[in-house]
Amino acid sequence: MAKLTVVGIGPGNLLDMTQRARQAIEQARVVVGYHTYIRLVEPMLDGLGKEIIGTGMMQEIDRCRMAVEKAAEGRDTVVISSGDAGIYGMAGLVLELVLARPAENRPEWGGVIAGVSAVQASAAVLGAPLMHDFAVISLSNLLTSWETIEKRVRLAAEADFVLALYNPKSKRRTENIARVQEIVLRYRDLATPVGIVTGASREGEQKVLSTLADFTKEEINMFSLVIIGNSQTYVKEGWMLTPRGYEKKDSGLGASR
């Protein structure tokens, strides 16, 4: 049996890929991933003679099964995911498929190689909005009921978590983000800062700073990540910042807002 490894390739720019991720991809004989992710790493695959398996959206199970089979056949294989493969990526699905096989027929588990997540990359673009407790929630209800998503949003908003929203809006899901806005407004001021980053770390990256009252008027799509501040978050000179509490040790920090 060969080794099967799940690799987080970072948000898009090859400069954000870890050395461990690069090494795993370079050493693998088979690279499996969503077409868009394959294109992101194409520059480092040219001329290496690897087998490349790319599939489209909604074919996650099929491509992960193919990856397990390739490794079981004796070819070191990597499954790539954008960002961190363990955050809304393929790590869980691949591991489930491996563990579902009889122990004697499993490929060697090469583990998960962490990557820079979209939420980390987006937060860096905005400034420092995640310096205190935060909750990450996907608004896609393809695999999770909308009732469950609403409950998570409501409880996180009530607890004053900064909210980071994956999959905020698509051509078919246009109302979910508006519903989130309604829920959070029950607990937060209209002027609460909201940051929107689209295509973080990729060509054409865009950053928008808005408020809880107005952010849904901005362009938001499946390549966007939305960060809603908590009651302490503020914007200064174009940067979004959630203080951690150091102003309690130095009163001059609080005065700088």
Side-chain angles (χ1 to χ4, degrees), residues 137 139 149-157 163 180 183-184:
I137 301 174
L139 300 192
I149 294 170
E150 275 203 4
K151 180 179 180 180
R152 290 171 178 171
V153 170
R154 175 174 55 80
L155 293 174
L163 290 172
V180 167
I183 294 170
V184 180

Side-chain angles (χ1 to χ4, degrees), residues 16-208:
D16 292 325
M17 187 183 298
T18 68
Q19 288 299 314
R20 287 187 64 202
R22 285 180 174 274
Q23 186 178 63
I25 293 171
E26 290 168 357
Q27 294 177 348
R29 295 177 61 193
V30 182
V31 178
V32 181
Y34 174 43
H35 287 311
T36 299
Y37 305 157
I38 294 291
R39 286 195 291 271
L40 291 174
V41 300
E42 272 181 342
M44 62 179 294
L45 300 178
D46 290 345
L48 296 181
K50 300 181 184 298
E51 180 180 358
I52 310 299
I53 300 175
T55 65
M57 186 71 76
M58 309 297 291
Q59 295 179 297
E60 296 91 347
I61 296 176
D62 289 340
R63 69 172 174 264
C64 289
R65 286 191 188 280
M66 286 189 280
V68 174
E69 290 300 326
K70 290 292 181 181
E73 292 168 7
R75 308 184 71 192
D76 284 341
T77 301
V78 295
V79 177
I80 63 172
S81 280
S82 68
D84 184 295
I87 301 176
Y88 300 123
M90 292 294 98
L93 177 55
V94 175
L95 183 55
E96 284 184 282
L97 291 171
V98 169
L99 295 177
R101 297 172 69 97
E104 63 274 15
N105 292 324
R106 293 175 189 167
E108 179 185 349
W109 176 238
V112 179
I113 297 178
V116 176
S117 69
V119 67
Q120 290 171 301
S122 298
V125 171
L126 293 169
L130 303 182
M131 292 304 297
H132 215 306
D133 298 335
F134 64 96
V136 178
I137 301 174
S138 170
L139 300 192
S140 172
N141 56 337
L142 291 175
L143 301 175
T144 305
S145 73
W146 180 245
E147 290 76 16
T148 296
I149 294 170
E150 275 203 4
K151 180 179 180 180
R152 290 171 178 171
V153 170
R154 175 174 55 80
L155 293 174
E158 184 178 6
D160 203 29
F161 283 101
V162 174
L163 290 172
L165 306 176
Y166 275 72
N167 305 312
K169 189 176 182 180
S170 69
K171 292 180 180 178
R172 290 183 297 178
R173 286 186 294 98
T174 60
E175 298 302 319
N176 292 7
I177 190 71
R179 179 60 182 149
V180 167
Q181 180 189 40
E182 292 174 11
I183 294 170
V184 180
L185 278 170
R186 299 175 191 168
Y187 306 96
R188 303 203 186 155
D189 190 85
L190 289 165
T192 300
V194 176
I196 304 165
V197 179
T198 301
S201 187
R202 303 184 188 184
E203 186 177 353
E205 172 188 280
Q206 295 182 344
K207 161 190 167 181
V208 174

